[in-house]
Amino acid sequence: MPDKDEKEFQPEVNPNEIESKSDARDAAEKLRDAIRYHNYRYYVEDDPVISDAEYDDLFDNLKKLEEEYPDIVTEDSPTQKVGGEPKDELGLVDHPTPMLSLKSVREDDEVANFVDNCKEEVSGDITFVCEPKYDGLAVELIYEEGTFVQGMTRGDGRTGENITSNLKTLGEVPLKLVSSDSTDIPERLVVRGEVFMLKEEFEELNNRREKEGEKTFANPRNAAAGSLRQLDPNITAERPLHIFFYQIAEADGLEFDTHLEALKMLPKLGLRANLDYEFECSTAEEILDRFEEFEEQREEMPYEFDGMVVKVNRIDQQDDLGTRTRNPRWAIACKFPPRRSTTEIKEITVQVGRTGKLTPIAILEPVHIGGVEIRRASLHNQSEIEQKDIRSGDTVLVERAGDVIPYVVKPITDKRDGSEKKHHMPEQCPVCGADVVLSEDKKQAHCPNPQCEAQAKERLQYFVGTDAMDVEGLGERRIEQLYNKGLIEKLSDIFNLTEEDLRQLDDVAEKAAQNILSEIDESKKADLHQFLYALGIPHIGQHMARVLAKKFKSVDDLREISAEDLREIEEIGPEVAQAVESFFSNEDAFKDIDLMFDAGLTLDNPLFQQKEQPLDGLTFVFTGNLDSWPRDEVKELVERYGARAASSVSGNTDYVVAGPGAGSKLDDARDEGVDILDEEEFKELLEEKVGSLK
């Protein structure tokens, strides 16, 4: 931080004594500087110099000033970290340069080969930096003139989700960079990091969600990712999220020769980096020794990490090594061995999903694997059970694949005593008694009864989920309670719930009931593609729901559609076509949809395209920054007029529109011989084909 008198970072400002806008602006700027300084001391230096109460006083005084004089509020003010209306949808943005994933290795000889290859292909001495591979959500942030302007997820490496508003809520993400040790703040800075949750905070969050009847998260990584993808940044702000920055991808005016130099630059700009666990190695043996040390420390660390990243240290050598299609040649990820343990299968049950699919589930004697208690594991299907010869009562080897999904690797047959029982898929549905349909290969088992209670509960839970109608407050437990009390049975019943209905649940008081009803009312205003996804039609995920919404203006347009007609739509295959036809030809399904409209459901369809549009058949790819439109808006613009906005360049691309900061897509366009337009040429094309956009 700048070398200033400490008192400048504890300004005595009384909002009640401010009498002019000019004085208010000056006082507010002093308070903002002070708050940024104390955020730096707290989040980056981990060495606060004032108490929480003193910090709160500074923050409250700034809020009062900005409320009294709204014109003095700045976008980078600390008060702007939380706020704003929920976004209609996150939208997609391009990375300035591809945010590639790393090649994973698990064997010692793979590490040795990596080191040997690097040494063979570059000149001069070579060293490697070893650092933790954090188990969270990778993000990229862009600062312009020191101000945070955009943040995104990794996505497919070229295009990510726009999570700017959500990242602003993290205390460890400065809205404005600070400068220490006389380091100049670059005009443009692109940094990458990992957002994560501490293990202890994750457990507290799950305990709270369980008490409130909400679905719990599977692990800290899912919790962090789900929190950052919220449409409402205020929900993100309530979650205990942290970030470590680990790479400078672009920095105008700053120079560094090595990766370690770049890492050490981050805290000087107010960006939190984990410098305690960055180590320089020269040989494969040193790298493997460091890997063993990391693995030994794994359980003691307050956050999850699932391996170690190894990077060539010198930037010029990284450039010489270059990249493959999907990952850089100068870095690898050494993954920890899967976490495994043995336990006993107490019984094998069968779970019925929302589409009627029957899945065998192993109920396990509880076992802790990597700090998580495992009680259940999917056995997938009858074919796999027979192939692995898994029996009820077996002692089995259980693994958390990728630290996420537990599954049974194999039975320990030496421990069998003859009491174990083979499993056979039931002939009748265990919930409703309908005859089960089992495929010849025994990989698919299905309950054909759409009125099956298990399917009904799963459909209801799916309908209110975060990615569907997003009704906060109606978690799995509350849906089950409402169903068991006979208060909901079909989807439309959710829209007709009353406060009296909700108050019948043991843990729902008056205010909680009103909050849930408010959430339900809010969910009645939805986009068609969101609603189609929420209906739980087999094979209709989020992408396919958008494909349908582009071609059909309303739900009514799908009533008479045939599978044959659907097959004519690009991307729709026979299974999807048949599933859509079957669903919308079902009278009961449409009666339920009509009841939802009667209860106040309204559907907008911003994706719908008329059959004849001025840009029909054209494919655009956008790269770099455009002055007239944010990236997501310009994509929506061309799609509105019939074009396709693709995220990568191919031989089918008609135009690449390139602005300042264009990345590798520009090179791809030249390689493919695709027409390249600047922003003015793009506007001329629009005027020619579309006319006035006003």
Side-chain angles (χ1 to χ4, degrees):
M1 289 296 295
D3 190 13
K4 293 185 179 181
D5 188 331
E6 198 74 30
K7 289 182 180 178
E8 292 188 42
F9 296 111
Q10 246 177 307
E12 295 181 3
V13 175
N14 185 342
N16 298 324
E17 296 176 358
I18 301 293
E19 297 181 352
S20 70
K21 185 187 293 186
S22 176
D23 290 343
R25 183 174 285 109
D26 291 342
E29 200 52 47
K30 288 180 182 178
L31 288 167
R32 291 182 192 122
D33 282 345
I35 291 169
R36 291 180 189 121
Y37 171 75
H38 293 300
N39 283 340
Y40 176 85
R41 293 299 299 254
Y42 185 89
Y43 293 118
V44 180
E45 295 289 328
D46 196 22
D47 183 24
V49 292
I50 62 173
S51 67
D52 289 350
E54 289 171 312
Y55 178 90
D56 291 342
D57 285 342
L58 293 174
F59 199 90
D60 290 342
N61 285 337
L62 178 59
K63 282 181 65 177
K64 288 174 183 176
L65 276 178
E66 292 182 342
E67 288 169 1
E68 182 70 22
Y69 300 94
D71 291 346
I72 71 171
V73 178
T74 60
E75 287 187 8
D76 60 8
S77 174
T79 61
Q80 301 306 296
K81 274 188 169 290
V82 184
E85 292 298 315
K87 304 298 180 186
D88 290 337
E89 57 183 290
L90 293 173
L92 299 176
V93 287
D94 285 348
H95 293 286
T97 56
M99 194 174 175
L100 303 177
S101 57
L102 299 181
K103 179 182 179 181
S104 295
V105 302
R106 294 187 182 273
E107 303 298 332
D108 292 359
D109 59 353
E110 292 179 287
V111 175
N113 289 338
F114 166 74
V115 171
D116 290 342
N117 290 337
C118 290
K119 288 183 175 181
E120 286 174 7
E121 295 190 33
V122 300
S123 58
D125 295 335
I126 185 170
T127 61
F128 304 88
V129 179
C130 299
E131 55 195 57
K133 184 180 179 299
Y134 306 110
D135 198 12
L137 182 72
V139 296
E140 182 169 71
L141 289 79
I142 301 174
Y143 287 83
E144 293 181 353
E145 297 181 353
T147 299
F148 175 45
V149 295
Q150 191 170 74
M152 62 207 79
T153 62
R154 182 195 300 277
D156 64 4
R158 295 180 179 270
T159 303
E161 295 164 294
N162 187 344
I163 54 170
T164 306
S165 297
N166 294 345
L167 282 170
K168 284 183 176 181
T169 69
L170 272 67
E172 293 160 15
V173 171
L175 300 187
K176 196 171 185 68
L177 297 175
V178 298
S179 175
S180 64
D181 297 341
S182 301
T183 300
D184 292 331
I185 293 177
E187 271 191 39
R188 178 177 168 87
L189 178 72
V190 181
V191 290
R192 292 168 179 173
E194 194 90 2
V195 175
F196 61 93
M197 276 188 190
L198 298 179
K199 295 175 184 176
E200 184 177 349
E201 292 175 335
F202 166 72
E203 293 297 333
E204 290 173 358
L205 174 65
N206 260 357
N207 290 338
R208 186 167 68 250
R209 289 178 67 85
E210 189 172 8
K211 288 177 183 176
E212 294 172 354
E214 300 297 323
K215 188 175 182 180
T216 57
F217 293 105
N219 52 68
R221 177 174 56 191
N222 283 10
S227 299
L228 273 180
R229 290 189 172 107
Q230 293 292 325
L231 297 182
D232 184 352
N234 293 289
I235 296 175
T236 307
E238 295 172 356
R239 304 280 172 80
L241 298 175
H242 304 273
I243 188 168
F244 281 137
F245 292 95
Y246 59 74
Q247 184 184 5
I248 295 179
E250 185 180 329
D252 293 348
L254 288 183
E255 294 184 5
F256 29 82
D257 296 325
T258 68
H259 175 62
L260 276 177
E261 287 178 20
L263 285 174
K264 291 174 182 177
M265 185 76 70
L266 289 166
K268 296 177 182 179
L269 297 170
L271 299 167
R272 187 171 182 243
N274 192 9
L275 299 180
D276 292 337
Y277 292 94
E278 311 289 342
F279 301 96
E280 193 171 1
C281 299
S282 300
T283 65
E285 290 74 18
E286 289 180 12
I287 292 172
L288 292 170
D289 287 344
R290 180 59 60 189
F291 180 76
E292 287 183 13
E293 291 174 13
F294 270 146
E295 191 171 6
E296 289 172 2
Q297 295 171 319
R298 187 180 188 186
E299 299 305 327
E300 301 169 7
M301 298 292 267
Y303 47 80
E304 292 282 0
F305 67 108
D306 58 358
M308 184 180 78
V309 176
V310 183
K311 301 174 182 175
V312 171
N313 191 23
R314 278 174 46 182
I315 304 298
D316 62 339
Q317 291 176 336
Q318 291 182 6
D319 293 339
D320 290 343
L321 287 164
T323 64
R324 304 180 187 88
T325 303
R326 296 179 55 84
N327 43 60
R329 299 178 66 244
W330 46 265
I332 55 172
C334 304
K335 298 295 290 289
F336 291 140
R339 287 165 160 167
R340 292 181 169 185
S341 187
T342 56
T343 187
E344 181 184 331
I345 296 180
K346 296 197 291 186
E347 63 174 320
I348 297 175
T349 63
V350 173
Q351 177 179 290
V352 184
R354 63 181 172 82
T355 62
K357 180 181 178 180
L358 271 62
T359 303
I361 303 293
I363 307 300
L364 306 171
E365 189 66 39
V367 59
H368 283 82
I369 304 179
V372 176
E373 185 177 73
I374 306 299
R375 293 174 173 269
R376 297 155 58 90
S378 171
L379 297 176
H380 302 294
N381 54 59
Q382 182 66 30
S383 174
E384 180 160 326
I385 290 174
E386 293 180 4
Q387 186 178 5
K388 292 183 176 179
D389 189 22
I390 297 171
R391 307 178 185 183
S392 179
D394 264 338
T395 297
V396 290
L397 182 65
V398 179
E399 177 179 299
R400 283 179 63 204
D403 292 339
V404 181
I405 304 168
Y407 76 101
V408 175
V409 179
K410 64 178 182 179
I412 311 298
T413 55
D414 291 348
K415 298 209 171 188
R416 284 180 176 164
D417 60 12
S419 63
E420 297 78 17
K421 297 179 181 178
K422 290 188 176 183
H423 176 79
H424 301 283
M425 194 61 72
E427 295 183 359
Q428 280 78 40
C429 171
V431 177
C432 70
D435 290 342
V436 170
V437 179
L438 182 66
S439 63
E440 286 188 20
D441 61 7
K442 299 185 180 181
K443 291 183 178 180
Q444 299 287 336
H446 184 80
C447 168
N449 175 20
Q451 277 72 49
C452 174
E453 179 180 318
Q455 294 183 51
K457 288 181 182 178
E458 290 284 339
R459 281 195 298 270
L460 290 163
Q461 290 163 7
Y462 187 83
F463 185 75
V464 299
T466 303
D467 293 329
M469 302 306 282
D470 192 19
V471 183
E472 188 83 12
L474 285 185
E476 182 177 341
R477 188 166 64 87
R478 282 184 180 156
I479 287 291
E480 184 152 3
Q481 288 175 325
L482 289 166
Y483 187 92
N484 292 341
K485 286 182 177 290
L487 297 171
I488 56 172
E489 182 177 333
K490 52 190 182 295
L491 301 183
S492 60
D493 293 336
I494 291 171
F495 286 166
N496 289 297
L497 283 170
T498 65
E499 183 177 331
E500 183 180 350
D501 293 335
L502 294 168
R503 292 289 300 277
Q504 292 186 44
L505 306 186
D506 296 338
D507 60 341
V508 177
E510 180 180 354
K511 186 173 181 181
Q514 291 171 354
N515 289 340
I516 293 172
L517 291 176
S518 176
E519 285 284 335
I520 291 173
D521 283 340
E522 185 64 29
S523 74
K524 292 177 183 178
K525 304 178 187 70
D527 288 339
L528 178 63
H529 64 273
Q530 177 188 1
F531 181 67
L532 292 175
Y533 171 77
L535 290 174
I537 305 167
H539 307 298
I540 303 301
Q542 290 176 305
H543 173 69
M544 199 54 66
R546 295 175 72 89
V547 170
L548 290 171
K550 287 179 181 179
K551 297 297 180 182
F552 299 94
K553 186 175 183 180
S554 68
V555 174
D556 285 338
D557 293 342
L558 288 160
R559 285 182 187 262
E560 306 298 330
I561 198 69
S562 69
E564 185 178 350
D565 291 336
L566 286 164
R567 286 293 309 279
E568 295 180 5
I569 299 173
E570 187 179 358
E571 296 189 70
I572 293 184
E575 288 186 341
V576 172
Q578 189 57 57
V580 173
E581 181 190 51
S582 298
F583 183 87
F584 286 105
S585 62
N586 184 302
E587 287 189 18
D588 289 335
F590 247 106
K591 282 181 183 177
D592 200 33
I593 291 173
D594 287 338
L595 288 172
M596 290 188 231
F597 283 116
D598 292 342
L601 174 67
T602 59
L603 296 177
D604 189 20
N605 189 0
L607 301 179
F608 177 65
Q609 300 170 350
Q610 300 289 345
K611 288 187 177 179
E612 293 185 6
Q613 292 287 349
L615 300 181
D616 266 350
L618 296 179
T619 297
F620 289 84
V621 171
F622 297 92
T623 182
N625 299 310
L626 302 181
D627 292 333
S628 302
W629 302 277
R631 187 68 52 78
D632 53 347
E633 287 185 15
V634 76
K635 287 183 176 182
E636 288 181 8
L637 173 66
V638 297
E639 288 184 346
R640 190 189 317 149
Y641 290 102
R644 178 170 176 257
S647 60
S648 59
V649 179
S650 71
N652 296 322
T653 305
D654 295 289
Y655 298 101
V656 168
V657 181
S664 60
K665 293 180 184 180
L666 198 54
D667 296 330
D668 294 342
R670 294 188 181 107
D671 292 343
E672 294 284 351
V674 175
D675 288 341
I676 299 170
L677 307 178
D678 61 23
E679 187 167 355
E680 288 305 314
E681 291 169 330
F682 173 60
K683 287 180 179 178
E684 291 173 7
L685 178 69
L686 288 180
E687 289 175 4
E688 175 189 339
K689 293 187 173 291
V690 177
S692 174
L693 298 178
K694 296 181 180 178

